[in-house]
């Protein structure tokens, strides 16, 4: 297996690591994100400044954060997950911007209504944050629940997408 190619990108919500394999974009993590790559793994990957897919990913993320893009168009490589995780991540891709689902809804959609906890674990291990929109999954009562990149980021992403959930009032959830 060839090492992944990586690039740093500074989002409005903090530094991110983008990663690509020969098959597509395989990682978008906030620095320090739970379930992100370890420092040891990162050292084994090749950091690049100019790679077409990583440049396209950063341009699309920038357009997303400025409100000019609500659906990404990038080749994805989600092969690092189990078959079940991959099915959950594929289901996440069908949730449109501004909408949400509960973990239970997602489990039922996957014809496995008793797998709510397993769905939650798979959502939490999504390697392609924002682009595979795990932030659009809420608790059963519509409440905000954990997010591997930090709950404040989940709130900011939902607010950016115009999600109707009642979020804490603030002039901006984006740090200065």
């Amino acid at each position: 297996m060839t090492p992944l190619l990586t690039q740093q990108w500074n989002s409005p919500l903090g530094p991110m690591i983008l990663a690509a394999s020969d098959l597509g974009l395989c990682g978008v993590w906030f620095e320090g994100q739970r379930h992100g790559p370890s420092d040891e793994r990162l050292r084994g990957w090749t950091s690049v400044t100019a790679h077409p897919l990583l440049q396209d990913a950063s341009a699309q993320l920038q357009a997303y954060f400025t409100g000019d893009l609500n659906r990404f168009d990038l080749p994805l490589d989600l092969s690092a997950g189990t078959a079940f995780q991959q099915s959950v991540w594929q289901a996440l891709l069908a949730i449109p911007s501004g909408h949400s689902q509960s973990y239970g809804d997602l489990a039922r959609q996957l014809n496995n209504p008793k797998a709510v906890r397993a769905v939650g674990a798979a959502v939490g291990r999504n390697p392609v944050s924002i682009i595979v929109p795990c932030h659009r999954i809420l608790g059963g009562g519509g409440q905000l629940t954990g997010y591997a990149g930090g709950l404040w980021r989940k709130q900011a992403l939902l607010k950016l997408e115009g999600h109707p959930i009642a979020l804490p009032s603030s002039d901006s959830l984006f740090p200065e």
Side-chain angles (χ1 to χ4, degrees), residues 67-146:
D68 296 326
L69 180 83
N70 62 16
R71 185 161 178 84
F72 294 91
D73 181 23
L74 297 161
L76 300 177
D77 175 4
L78 302 176
S79 65
T82 66
F84 179 77
Q85 287 172 327
Q86 289 178 44
S87 70
V88 170
W89 301 336
Q90 287 296 328
L92 292 172
L93 289 167
I95 304 170
S97 181
H99 293 81
S100 64
Q101 283 188 318
S102 71
Y103 295 97
D105 291 338
L106 198 52
R108 285 187 290 281
Q109 180 183 331
L110 294 168
N111 296 317
N112 203 345
K114 294 184 179 193
V116 175
R117 287 181 187 236
V119 164
V123 168
R125 293 197 177 270
N126 168 27
V128 187
S129 297
I130 303 171
I131 295 168
V132 176
C134 55
H135 60 278
R136 297 179 188 153
I137 301 298
L138 304 175
Q143 75 275 19
L144 290 174
T145 55

Side-chain angles (χ1 to χ4, degrees), residues 4-175:
L4 299 183
L5 301 176
T6 64
Q7 178 178 310
Q8 293 276 141
W9 183 70
N10 290 317
S11 84
L13 298 177
M16 299 188 83
I17 302 161
L18 310 180
S21 72
D22 292 339
L23 300 176
L25 189 68
C26 61
V28 176
W29 302 277
F30 290 101
E31 278 189 3
Q33 177 174 320
R34 191 174 20 164
H35 308 302
S38 67
D39 289 340
E40 182 180 342
R41 282 185 69 198
L42 281 171
R43 282 192 294 275
W45 298 345
T46 304
S47 180
V48 295
T49 55
H51 182 273
L53 177 56
L54 295 176
Q55 289 176 318
D56 196 17
S58 61
Q60 287 190 35
L61 283 163
Q62 183 63 42
Y64 168 82
F65 278 108
T66 59
D68 296 326
L69 180 83
N70 62 16
R71 185 161 178 84
F72 294 91
D73 181 23
L74 297 161
L76 300 177
D77 175 4
L78 302 176
S79 65
T82 66
F84 179 77
Q85 287 172 327
Q86 289 178 44
S87 70
V88 170
W89 301 336
Q90 287 296 328
L92 292 172
L93 289 167
I95 304 170
S97 181
H99 293 81
S100 64
Q101 283 188 318
S102 71
Y103 295 97
D105 291 338
L106 198 52
R108 285 187 290 281
Q109 180 183 331
L110 294 168
N111 296 317
N112 203 345
K114 294 184 179 193
V116 175
R117 287 181 187 236
V119 164
V123 168
R125 293 197 177 270
N126 168 27
V128 187
S129 297
I130 303 171
I131 295 168
V132 176
C134 55
H135 60 278
R136 297 179 188 153
I137 301 298
L138 304 175
Q143 75 275 19
L144 290 174
T145 55
Y147 183 65
L151 191 57
W152 70 273
R153 286 188 176 115
K154 183 174 189 165
Q155 291 172 323
L157 294 169
L158 290 170
K159 181 178 180 181
L160 175 68
E161 294 179 358
H163 192 277
I165 191 168
L167 297 173
S169 61
S170 168
D171 291 338
S172 175
L173 289 172
F174 295 94

